[in-house]
Amino acid sequence: MINKKSILVFPTSRAIRDYLSKKRSENTLLPTLLTIDEFFKKVIYFENRTYLLEEQKVLFLNEAIENINIAKLGINSSFAKFLTQSDYIYSFFQELASENIEISTIKSFDTYEFYAEHLEILQNILDRYLEILDKNSCVDRINLKQYYKINEKFLEKFDEVNIFFEGYFTKQEFEIVEKISTKIDLNIEFYSKTYNQKSLKVFQDFNLKLNKKYSINLSSKKTNFEEDIKSDLKNLKICGFSSRINQIAFIKSSISEALNSGLNASKIVVVLPDESFTNYLEMFDSENYFNFAMGKSIKNRILYQKLIAVFEYISEDDDKSNENLKYLELEKELVDEKFKKFWNNICTLIKFKDIKEFLLEFENDTEVKEKIEEIFFKLEIILFSNDNKLKLKDIYKIIIQKINEISIDDINSGKITVMGLLETRKIEFDAVIIVDFNDSKVPKISLKDKFLSSKIKEKSNLPTRKDREDLQKYYYERLVESSKNVFVSYVNSSSEQISRFANELFKQKIVVKSFDEEYKDILYTNKHLKYEEKDIKLKLNLQNISWSASSLKRFLDCKRKYYFENIAKIKNHHFSKKPENFELGQIIHKILEELFIEFDFSQNAIENAFIKYKNENPYLILDLEIWKKRIYQFFEKEEERLKNRQIISLEEKFECDFNGFKINGVIDRVDKFDDFYELYDYKTSSSLSVDTIKNYENSTDFQLEFYYIYILSKFQTQNIKPFYIDLYRNEILEETVLNEKLELLRVKFDELKSIQNNEIEFNKTTNMQTCTYCNYKIICNR
């Protein structure tokens, strides 16, 4: 029996609510109930120091990085960007402090000094940050160990503490727990499973066995009880679907099955490894099944849509953004007067408050208004308490980012709870529905190892990516074995597969296939997409078109592709934050142009050129680091060649006539060497091949020929040599079949003349290899 003077410590507030719901029918006094976070806040205190506010943390960190080159850490030093990236640095410091690890300790394990420069920079920032904390008499998690004291007055009110342990104690946290156990009787209840053994190392004084439930008394170092863990699982169903959205049919079917078997709706849970799935559930919740533990997204509210519409209009100012303003009933003149006119000016506090008032006009919900007010209050402290000269457009971006994080409490909704994995700790359900059980999401990939490799972290006794993933596996294992009914769905496609962890977690054989057909009638009622083959014909005057080498190649390779891209102007949608394949090549072109303009090929100049693009493209950091070495090697050769050459143009745009047609393009570079003009086309591909006398007749790439024709018309000389610069292999390759390809190009344009003004058939190519990476392969049913 729990003493009335007990404290019960739960992993989450959701677990406390679950405990209270079970106690409703009992006529008894309840113990004090706290989450683990609340418990730690109450059992320690600080003399003559105040706990750092979140807003102050950013300001102190920003002060700490002053005159430190954090760009070498891949972090942008501009305040607007640093505001969004500062957590990388703070999380690293917090992890070290939590595990009582010094940066000097990590250095001793970095045998090859691979991280030496990064660690030196981080040490300097940490030293400064701690100085600033001391100067302001503040404490946070990073210097907590030096100043905290156990709050004995709080503990004197109770006879014992009972902790339901589901997770991981940092060394710092466990030191606090051990100190408490010397002041008051302290019990810890936990499960010993394969995947949480790293977390249980703190209990090494106890002889723990696998697959047991334990209660131990840390004060007396004795075991209260040891019980076998038995799985309650009776019914398991696992189904794959071709898309994420089709899983909703499975969720609804599983709910119906559970309810029909007599289960209480409040004891059914939908668990989301990736909480972005809530957007789908909200759209399809016509039965009002769900309540969302994580709250509802603000993105569907008119306030957020208008916030984004203003940003897109000022940034793009195209037909689409203008129409969006009209659709959302935003007056263009008002937006121009209020924001666009000041977009590139330093933002004043008055203008900052204007944005807040503008947003609040479109919101009636009291909760949302309060959260907006809180965001602006905190941002005002951060942005206007020191000399941060930020433009209105930068502050607007920061506001978008912060408002994007708002979640709205979901009250008076359905009885079936939707929650993330961590929220399920210490709660038992009658039926569990888990979606997105894919390799890419289960276990969720950790993003915390920014500054160190897992190997160094393991040697330094810091939590590694594997440790965090194992802990997730433990949570899934407990969730599944404590429920009688488990329904699991995953995406089964060419790019997605069921998590490999499934074979460890579930004992039954998993049939990997798509179950879309079995569940299709739940979401879709006899509406099928059917592909119909249609001819596309159009009369065109091809001589009225200005042809680039790429558009001509597109026309010659596949007329249907040319039609989609150049006539119908169907653009490829790119939703991922990851750059598209061609973007890396574009960046290398820009870097070369900048270096040639400055005519500075020093190591420092090359380093600085790449740093800028690495900060803007975090997904390309590794690729750019590799390319930086290639560019070093390229300039080692290039400096020697340029001793007797003169660069006469870089990235020069042109348009000229050839065989009755307009042609256009951009020449990467032109050099003058003696009496010759050398034309260069940069190539970053690892599979560059140059046409030869044996195969040029099949060529559709006339890039260098376009360059040649323009330079010939410009300088009226045939002393021209076109080259490819193979940057991947650091080679210069001459176009050896120039004359033959010029004649072939003339023939190709003659063929265009012969078909123009007639009805042109935009047929699909017969060369299926052309379709492999084509953006239109789905439209063409290829």
Side-chain angles (χ1 to χ4, degrees):
M1 180 178 175
I2 296 173
N3 192 299
K4 67 178 180 179
K5 291 186 179 180
S6 293
I7 304 176
L8 263 59
V9 182
F10 292 83
T12 66
S13 55
R14 177 70 57 170
I16 291 176
R17 289 200 290 275
D18 185 66
Y19 173 84
L20 289 172
S21 69
K22 292 175 181 175
K23 295 290 180 181
R24 275 181 191 158
S25 59
E26 296 180 19
N27 185 16
T28 180
L29 289 172
L30 289 171
T32 297
L33 308 175
L34 297 172
T35 65
I36 189 72
D37 289 338
E38 292 168 341
F39 176 68
F40 278 124
K41 285 176 183 175
K42 288 182 179 292
V43 296
I44 61 173
Y45 73 99
F46 312 97
E47 285 185 349
N48 305 318
R49 286 188 175 260
T50 56
Y51 205 83
L52 193 69
L53 298 173
E54 185 71 19
E55 298 74 46
Q56 291 174 300
K57 180 186 80 175
V58 179
L59 293 175
F60 286 3
L61 265 179
N62 190 51
E63 186 181 341
I65 64 163
E66 195 173 338
N67 299 322
I68 292 178
N69 186 7
I70 62 170
K72 291 185 177 180
L73 300 175
I75 294 175
N76 197 304
S77 59
S78 74
F79 186 74
K81 294 264 179 80
F82 180 72
L83 192 62
T84 63
Q85 297 178 341
S86 59
D87 256 357
Y88 288 127
I89 295 175
Y90 188 82
S91 297
F92 178 69
F93 292 161
Q94 183 182 315
E95 188 172 60
L96 294 183
S98 297
E99 299 300 332
N100 298 336
I101 302 292
E102 302 288 336
I103 290 179
S104 56
T105 304
I106 298 170
K107 286 181 180 177
S108 67
F109 293 112
D110 186 15
T111 312
Y112 298 103
E113 298 189 344
F114 190 77
Y115 301 99
E117 186 179 29
H118 283 187
L119 292 172
E120 192 64 37
I121 294 170
L122 289 164
Q123 182 70 68
N124 290 337
I125 298 171
L126 178 59
D127 291 343
R128 289 190 189 183
Y129 182 70
L130 291 171
E131 286 173 12
I132 295 165
L133 286 175
D134 285 340
K135 183 176 70 176
N136 290 276
S137 298
C138 287
V139 65
D140 73 357
R141 294 187 183 187
I142 292 173
N143 66 342
L144 180 144
K145 185 177 180 180
Q146 295 172 250
Y147 301 107
Y148 83 83
K149 292 186 178 180
I150 300 298
N151 189 350
E152 294 186 23
K153 286 188 177 179
F154 172 74
L155 293 174
E156 284 171 1
K157 301 175 186 177
F158 305 97
D159 299 321
E160 65 175 6
V161 175
N162 296 281
I163 299 176
F164 298 106
F165 177 57
E166 286 274 10
Y168 175 76
F169 279 133
T170 66
K171 284 190 174 64
Q172 193 176 84
E173 289 170 341
F174 196 67
E175 280 180 8
I176 295 171
V177 170
E178 285 191 306
K179 287 179 181 178
I180 294 168
S181 73
T182 65
K183 315 285 184 186
I184 187 173
D185 216 27
L186 190 144
N187 301 297
I188 304 178
E189 186 178 298
F190 58 90
Y191 297 86
S192 175
K193 303 287 291 181
T194 303
Y195 293 116
N196 72 335
Q197 290 305 296
K198 178 74 179 280
S199 305
L200 302 185
K201 282 187 177 179
V202 293
F203 307 127
Q204 56 190 0
D205 294 339
F206 297 85
N207 183 24
L208 302 180
K209 301 171 188 173
L210 280 176
N211 297 314
K212 300 282 186 180
K213 179 181 179 181
Y214 285 98
S215 173
I216 63 170
N217 187 299
L218 201 62
S219 304
S220 64
K221 305 293 182 190
K222 291 182 180 177
T223 301
N224 297 326
F225 68 75
E226 172 189 300
E227 297 175 357
D228 289 334
I229 301 173
K230 294 180 181 178
S231 175
D232 293 328
L233 186 60
K234 299 288 188 290
N235 177 34
L236 173 66
K237 184 178 288 187
I238 304 173
C239 293
F241 294 87
S242 62
S243 69
R244 288 186 83 193
I245 207 165
N246 282 0
Q247 294 176 100
I248 295 173
F250 176 77
I251 294 171
K252 292 191 172 190
S253 171
S254 302
I255 290 169
S256 295
E257 185 177 328
L259 293 175
N260 291 335
S261 68
L263 298 185
N264 188 321
S266 63
K267 297 300 289 179
I268 302 171
V269 67
V270 178
V271 179
L272 309 183
D274 179 352
E275 292 183 12
S276 68
F277 197 85
T278 55
N279 295 327
Y280 295 135
L281 285 177
E282 284 185 44
M283 284 192 295
F284 284 88
D285 189 19
S286 54
E287 301 87 353
N288 200 27
Y289 275 151
F290 307 115
N291 70 80
F292 297 89
M294 67 288 290
K296 288 188 173 182
S297 170
I298 198 170
K299 289 182 180 179
N300 293 326
R301 299 188 79 85
I302 194 69
L303 170 146
Y304 185 81
Q305 291 168 16
K306 291 191 176 187
L307 178 74
I308 295 298
V310 169
F311 180 78
E312 289 178 346
Y313 160 67
I314 299 175
S315 302
E316 305 291 337
D317 198 3
D318 55 11
D319 291 342
K320 180 182 173 184
S321 58
N322 276 276
E323 286 299 317
N324 198 28
L325 286 187
K326 290 180 187 176
Y327 176 74
L328 293 171
E329 298 179 350
L330 282 168
E331 293 180 23
K332 184 173 177 290
E333 295 75 17
L334 175 67
V335 175
D336 287 343
E337 185 63 29
K338 210 172 187 70
F339 301 117
K340 190 173 184 179
K341 193 162 93 174
F342 305 96
W343 199 240
N344 289 300
N345 295 352
I346 300 300
C347 183
T348 63
L349 182 56
I350 293 172
K351 186 54 63 179
F352 175 75
K353 290 183 176 179
D354 270 354
I355 301 173
K356 181 180 77 172
E357 296 307 316
F358 171 76
L359 290 176
L360 291 176
E361 283 179 26
F362 309 118
E363 187 55 61
N364 297 319
D365 188 279
T366 305
E367 179 199 350
V368 177
K369 279 189 166 184
E370 286 175 355
K371 290 185 176 182
I372 297 285
E373 293 274 10
E374 183 182 357
I375 284 172
F376 274 85
F377 173 74
K378 290 180 177 179
L379 285 178
E380 185 176 329
I381 296 172
I382 296 172
L383 300 173
F384 296 97
S385 60
N386 56 10
D387 192 29
N388 290 311
K389 302 291 186 185
L390 290 178
K391 293 180 179 179
L392 174 61
K393 66 178 180 181
D394 292 325
I395 284 185
Y396 201 93
K397 288 178 195 172
I398 293 166
I399 291 169
I400 288 175
Q401 181 210 349
K402 291 297 179 184
I403 290 181
N404 190 35
E405 295 169 1
I406 291 177
S407 63
I408 304 154
D409 292 341
D410 187 20
I411 55 175
N412 302 321
S413 290
K415 292 185 177 181
I416 294 164
T417 302
V418 179
M419 59 174 65
L421 176 66
L422 293 180
E423 284 291 307
T424 66
R425 290 174 294 171
K426 191 57 185 153
I427 310 177
E428 294 179 355
F429 301 96
D430 291 336
V432 172
I433 304 165
I434 310 174
V435 299
D436 279 345
F437 208 84
N438 286 93
D439 232 11
S440 57
K441 295 181 177 66
V442 180
K444 191 175 181 180
I445 296 171
S446 171
L447 299 175
K448 289 191 176 182
D449 297 343
K450 179 172 177 62
F451 298 120
L452 298 173
S453 68
S454 285
K455 190 173 183 181
I456 293 292
K457 296 193 85 171
E458 185 177 7
K459 287 181 178 179
S460 306
N461 209 23
L462 288 168
T464 64
R465 172 175 162 173
K466 182 180 183 302
D467 295 332
R468 285 189 280 269
E469 290 180 356
D470 277 352
L471 200 53
Q472 287 182 60
K473 290 180 178 181
Y474 163 75
Y475 296 143
Y476 280 113
E477 190 174 28
R478 284 292 308 130
L479 177 65
V480 167
E481 69 185 9
S482 63
S483 176
K484 293 184 175 65
N485 304 277
V486 175
F487 305 87
V488 179
S489 67
Y490 62 95
V491 178
N492 181 38
S493 68
S494 58
S495 58
E496 291 278 10
Q497 61 184 15
I498 190 169
S499 172
R500 281 164 285 188
F501 174 52
N503 290 315
E504 302 171 40
L505 180 60
F506 306 116
K507 307 307 176 192
Q508 75 176 44
K509 185 179 178 181
I510 299 169
V511 179
V512 178
K513 71 166 194 171
S514 291
F515 287 78
D516 300 79
E517 281 295 312
E518 288 89 329
Y519 292 86
K520 66 180 180 180
D521 292 335
I522 297 174
L523 290 186
Y524 314 109
T525 54
N526 298 322
K527 292 180 182 178
H528 302 285
L529 292 176
K530 185 179 178 182
Y531 178 79
E532 289 185 13
E533 188 68 60
K534 286 188 177 180
D535 293 333
I536 298 176
K537 298 178 181 180
L538 197 65
K539 279 189 176 183
L540 275 183
N541 186 336
L542 299 178
Q543 283 182 280
N544 286 342
I545 297 170
S546 182
W547 295 86
S548 66
S550 58
S551 65
L552 178 62
K553 176 175 171 57
R554 199 174 298 126
F555 187 90
L556 298 176
D557 284 342
C558 177
K559 291 185 179 63
R560 182 67 59 90
K561 181 178 182 180
Y562 178 87
Y563 172 82
F564 285 143
E565 186 153 337
N566 293 78
I567 298 174
K569 298 192 182 301
I570 300 173
K571 300 300 180 186
N572 183 34
H573 291 282
H574 183 60
F575 299 108
S576 172
K577 291 182 179 179
K578 293 182 180 180
E580 294 191 84
N581 294 333
F582 63 81
E583 291 184 50
L584 179 62
Q586 288 180 341
I587 291 171
I588 300 302
H589 274 66
K590 289 176 185 175
I591 287 173
L592 290 175
E593 182 186 9
E594 290 167 13
L595 291 169
F596 278 122
I597 287 172
E598 295 297 327
F599 212 77
D600 182 358
F601 315 134
S602 65
Q603 185 170 343
N604 189 51
I606 296 170
E607 179 76 29
N608 289 334
F610 273 86
I611 281 174
K612 178 175 71 173
Y613 289 101
K614 282 197 282 189
N615 291 340
E616 292 174 359
N617 300 270
Y619 282 103
L620 288 177
I621 285 176
L622 177 59
D623 297 283
L624 288 173
E625 193 64 32
I626 293 168
W627 269 101
K628 183 173 69 178
K629 293 178 181 177
R630 292 195 179 114
I631 298 304
Y632 281 146
Q633 294 165 359
F634 167 67
F635 277 115
E636 284 175 3
K637 282 186 180 181
E638 204 64 8
E639 274 193 288
E640 188 62 34
R641 292 180 70 252
L642 287 171
K643 287 178 181 178
N644 53 15
R645 282 170 170 78
Q646 177 190 1
I647 297 175
I648 63 171
S649 76
L650 293 166
E651 301 294 331
E652 181 180 354
K653 293 182 180 178
F654 68 85
E655 186 173 68
C656 62
D657 296 317
F658 176 74
N659 196 19
F661 286 82
K662 290 279 187 191
I663 63 172
N664 68 76
V666 180
I667 304 181
D668 291 342
R669 188 174 119 210
V670 180
D671 289 0
K672 184 77 181 296
F673 176 52
D674 293 337
D675 292 330
F676 280 85
Y677 292 94
E678 295 181 336
L679 321 180
Y680 297 106
D681 184 21
Y682 301 136
K683 295 294 185 184
T684 55
S685 171
S686 61
S687 57
L688 173 64
S689 60
V690 179
D691 291 327
T692 66
I693 198 69
K694 292 182 179 180
N695 66 7
Y696 81 91
E697 291 179 339
N698 297 318
S699 180
T700 56
D701 184 357
F702 298 98
Q703 188 80 62
L704 284 177
E705 285 65 38
F706 273 41
Y707 290 0
Y708 177 90
I709 292 164
Y710 169 64
I711 294 299
L712 178 64
S713 68
K714 182 177 181 180
F715 294 109
Q716 299 299 312
T717 177
Q718 292 189 346
N719 290 346
I720 303 169
K721 290 185 177 180
F723 298 92
Y724 294 105
I725 293 184
D726 184 348
L727 293 167
Y728 191 87
R729 296 175 183 80
N730 197 11
E731 295 176 352
I732 297 179
L733 307 171
E734 187 173 358
E735 178 75 288
T736 56
V737 287
L738 174 67
N739 294 326
E740 289 83 357
K741 286 186 69 175
L742 283 169
E743 183 56 35
L744 179 62
L745 179 59
R746 189 178 298 277
V747 170
K748 296 294 182 185
F749 276 128
D750 284 341
E751 290 173 358
L752 296 192
K753 287 179 188 175
S754 68
I755 63 171
Q756 72 172 2
N757 294 325
N758 295 323
E759 200 168 47
I760 299 171
E761 293 187 16
F762 290 92
N763 296 327
K764 292 186 280 189
T765 180
T766 55
N767 181 3
M768 300 297 284
Q769 286 185 333
T770 306
C771 305
T772 306
Y773 301 107
C774 179
N775 293 327
Y776 308 106
K777 61 189 296 184
I778 294 175
I779 299 177
C780 293
N781 199 32
R782 287 275 170 98

